[in-house]
Amino acid sequence: MATPAGADGARPGDGSGGPGRGPGVGPGGGPGPAGAGAGPAGAAGSAGPAGPGASDPGPAAPALRHVLRLRDLVVYGLLFIGVTAPMGTFGVLDARGGGAVALVFVVATVAMSFTAWSYARMSAAVPRAGSVYAYASAGLGPRPGFLAGWMIALDYLFIPSVASLFAGIACHALVPAVPVWVFTLAAVVLVTALNLGGVKLAARVGMTVLVVELVVLGAFVVAAAAFLVRHGPERGWLTPLTGEAGLDVTGVLGAATVAILAFLGFDAIATFAEEVTGSTDQVGRALQFCLVLAGALFVLQTYLGALLNPVSAAALQADPAAQGTAFYTMLDAAVGSWFSSVVTVVRAVGPVFSALVAQAAVARLLFAMGREGALPSVLARVDPRGRAPRNSILLSAAVTLVMATAAATRADGLEVLSSMVTVGALVAFVFLHAATVRYFAGKGPAYVVVPVVGGLVILTVLVSASRLALVIAAGWFLLGLVLLRARPAAARALARGEPTGER
């Protein structure tokens, strides 16, 4: 997920680039080793490795429709991330990395690959709609699973608000006569209508938007190549990988902890596990392919941007105010202000479809938690025609509508909303890695080393998070604990399964 405008001082357009088979016998519902515990009633998934905390939901369990192909999953992931995400943070990362901005994204891609690995393994073993909620429940137990789902819900619930508000601000800058809140409201209504129409309709519309974004990015690559052929680079050909004054390892690693945040959102693919056609491995393949493709696109555009940038990394370090618009300054100088305006328009529309994916993802998370008794069962109801989790979508839309329109009336609304996201997902990733180690205990050293390294990477990023973001996440975590305590029915439902560690 791209850094929203206002967080880095970028012009309108620097926002989020936005943003197995089931149901059947869940993990542990089929033949498995003795001692596999019974899980929450209603858990859905495919027969697979026996996992704790799941059971056969029975024929009446709410079911989603199997309509998504591998391509659809990749489209969702790229829409949420935003293929032009680095444009908003280019100047910040170029300055922090000493000019080695392309290397920063190489490091960030490698760092996130550990999380993608854990997601791929768990999504194949536990093909359920709850994503990290389902994985942590299977590996660590239902109560830690609830907390993992609760933490990632913090991001998934508020990212649509951030993206919708950003789209409203950006569109207002293009059409000042229309208030921000009107554009924001229109974005929420559009996103909700598409998601209620079914996941296939949303995927088709998303594919169109993604193609437009890729065409614009392709046009930049062609224009950059033409400039380099005619005029040569503003910096040395290797400086985007080695730095302007030699490699600053500390600076590159520090910048990479920020760049990692640009990838947040690819994990939303896992929430669609019960809607894919074909093998349950498709979710894992889509996650890994999406990460690699996004990383390659990020490296390419930042490499070219650095070569064309007339402002040195040292100059950007000395002028923080210029960092937010550095990519656009480069476009104005190397390509022309007309192309900069085109990119701004595309990046104003992109957040709407980041919100589309985020709303769809949180709806499936709420659906899974409602189906298994962790949240009210009304959230597990599925529309009979589109097979979309209607009530969960409407709840997400209501939260987005209230939060985004309220923030639209405040001068610092975008900054406040932006501080409420990212940390929740990072905490959930820590649960994911711990669950992977526990679930696959005894399978081999890779199932320990990779998740542990991935968890350490995520903890490093968490340490660098803003104080406000950490305070908000801590408050949300405590609220989750209170909710578990205050809802005895939910506690009893979750208590029906505990991890056994047997595979």
Side-chain angles (χ1 to χ4, degrees):
M1 181 188 68
T3 303
D8 57 19
R11 72 172 71 178
D14 282 348
S16 171
R21 306 295 293 273
V25 180
S46 298
S55 65
D56 186 345
L64 302 175
R65 179 173 293 166
H66 309 288
V67 293
L68 296 179
R69 294 171 293 174
L70 178 64
R71 184 191 70 180
D72 299 320
L73 295 175
V74 173
V75 167
Y76 267 131
L78 291 177
L79 278 175
F80 204 159
I81 293 173
V83 294
T84 57
M87 293 182 181
T89 55
F90 172 80
V92 174
L93 300 178
D94 193 32
R96 290 192 182 187
V101 63
L103 179 62
V104 166
F105 276 101
V106 171
V107 173
T109 303
V110 172
M112 284 304 296
S113 68
F114 295 98
T115 296
W117 188 93
S118 289
Y119 260 114
R121 298 311 179 274
M122 291 303 297
S123 65
V126 188
R128 289 157 54 190
S131 181
V132 71
Y133 160 69
Y135 310 153
S137 294
L140 302 174
R143 288 183 176 84
F146 172 84
L147 293 174
W150 182 253
M151 290 309 296
I152 206 164
L154 173 64
D155 279 21
Y156 285 175
L157 274 174
F158 291 116
I159 283 174
S161 302
V162 175
S164 299
L165 177 58
F166 176 78
I169 293 172
C171 291
H172 172 72
L174 298 171
V175 187
V178 181
V180 172
W181 70 266
V182 172
F183 282 120
T184 302
L185 176 62
V188 176
V189 171
L190 174 61
V191 164
T192 304
L194 288 172
N195 276 322
L196 287 174
V199 70
K200 193 64 177 178
L201 172 63
R204 287 174 184 157
V205 175
M207 181 65 181
T208 302
V209 174
L210 180 61
V211 167
V212 172
E213 291 181 341
L214 290 173
V215 167
V216 171
L217 182 56
F220 164 67
V221 172
V222 172
F227 179 93
L228 292 171
V229 169
R230 291 196 310 267
H231 306 289
E234 296 285 348
R235 307 179 185 179
W237 289 100
L238 292 180
T239 54
L241 296 170
T242 62
E244 288 184 328
L247 183 60
D248 179 2
V249 175
T250 302
V252 167
L253 293 178
T257 63
V258 177
I260 283 173
L261 301 179
F263 290 97
L264 294 186
F266 84 101
D267 52 287
I269 292 172
T271 64
F272 301 98
E274 291 181 28
E275 292 163 275
V276 300
T277 59
S279 168
T280 57
D281 292 337
Q282 291 213 71
V283 171
R285 289 165 55 198
L287 279 160
Q288 293 174 310
F289 179 78
C290 184
L291 176 66
V292 172
L293 179 57
L297 293 175
F298 290 176
V299 171
L300 176 63
Q301 63 193 278
T302 53
Y303 175 80
L304 293 173
L307 292 181
L308 270 58
N309 193 6
V311 183
S312 68
L316 286 173
Q317 288 175 354
D319 186 12
Q323 294 175 9
T325 56
F327 198 90
Y328 293 93
T329 301
M330 175 274 299
L331 287 178
D332 290 342
V335 183
S337 59
W338 66 270
F339 188 72
S340 178
S341 298
V342 170
V343 172
T344 299
V345 171
V346 170
R347 287 178 58 77
V349 175
V352 176
F353 294 90
S354 177
L356 172 79
V357 181
Q359 186 189 78
V362 74
R364 280 143 183 86
L365 174 65
L366 297 174
F367 162 82
M369 296 179 77
R371 182 179 58 190
E372 301 184 9
L375 291 177
S377 60
V378 68
L379 295 174
R381 293 181 184 171
V382 175
D383 182 78
R385 289 194 300 175
R387 307 304 300 171
R390 178 182 56 201
N391 291 349
S392 292
I393 290 173
L394 291 175
L395 175 60
S396 174
V399 172
T400 299
L401 187 63
V402 172
M403 298 297 296
T405 53
T409 63
R410 296 171 53 100
D412 62 345
L414 185 60
E415 181 180 355
V416 172
L417 275 182
S418 298
S419 67
M420 301 175 75
V421 301
T422 71
V423 171
L426 293 172
V427 172
F429 291 171
V430 174
F431 276 98
L432 166 72
H433 289 300
T436 303
V437 172
R438 179 74 173 84
Y439 191 91
F440 292 103
K443 294 284 286 187
Y447 289 91
V448 175
V449 174
V450 175
V452 167
V453 173
L456 291 175
V457 169
I458 299 303
L459 288 173
T460 301
V461 178
L462 273 171
V463 169
S464 64
S466 71
R467 179 181 176 85
L468 178 59
L470 291 172
V471 168
I472 290 172
W476 183 260
F477 185 83
L478 290 175
L479 181 60
L481 291 176
V482 170
L483 186 62
L484 269 179
R485 184 77 174 177
R487 295 190 67 240
R492 286 193 298 270
L494 289 171
R496 283 197 282 265
E498 295 293 344
T500 67
E502 299 185 33
R503 297 289 166 262

